[in-house]
Amino acid sequence: MAFSINFNEEKNQLLKATRKICFEDAIEAINNGNLLKNISHSNPNFSHQKLYIVEINNYAYVVPYVINTRKNEIFLKTIYPSRVLTKKYIRKKK
């Protein structure tokens, strides 16, 4: 069963304006094989979410998402950079 990837366009525009990153960048990174890790959220308040760790421009970004099985979609929530995960997953492999 294939899932489509969806996101909120208003949130995407906000991310572009404030963080200079967008959901399209994350999707492109995943499609290009730059998915570093796919993990469960460690915070119990967000246990329904999973996290993509993707590499974009030699930096690790976290992309929280939820899976909607009724719609067969993955819904991306936000994107944020992670200095800690960059050190763990990117700097380590060089």
Side-chain angles (χ1 to χ4, degrees):
M1 171 170 38
F3 288 90
S4 61
I5 298 178
N6 201 357
F7 53 85
N8 181 295
E9 187 55 43
E10 289 177 24
K11 178 72 173 211
N12 198 38
Q13 295 304 319
L14 179 67
L15 290 168
K16 284 181 187 179
T18 59
R19 298 185 186 160
K20 309 294 187 244
I21 192 87
C22 62
F23 289 122
E24 289 93 347
D25 295 335
I27 293 168
E28 182 180 341
I30 292 167
N31 290 336
N32 289 339
N34 291 327
L35 177 63
L36 301 171
K37 202 80 167 163
N38 183 12
I39 59 176
S40 296
H41 207 297
S42 60
N43 185 332
N45 294 331
F46 298 100
S47 61
H48 62 286
Q49 292 184 3
K50 294 189 64 95
L51 305 172
Y52 284 138
I53 312 300
V54 296
E55 181 179 349
I56 300 172
N57 296 328
N58 294 316
Y59 209 83
Y61 285 83
V62 181
V63 186
Y65 70 93
V66 293
I67 297 174
N68 185 333
T69 53
R70 285 184 293 113
K71 292 183 179 180
N72 286 339
E73 83 174 2
I74 294 171
F75 188 83
L76 306 180
K77 304 297 270 182
T78 192
I79 304 172
Y80 57 90
S82 174
R83 177 180 43 85
V84 171
L85 295 176
T86 297
K87 185 177 180 183
K88 182 176 182 177
Y89 292 112
I90 296 174
R91 304 288 186 251
K92 182 170 75 172
K93 64 182 190 181
K94 290 184 179 182

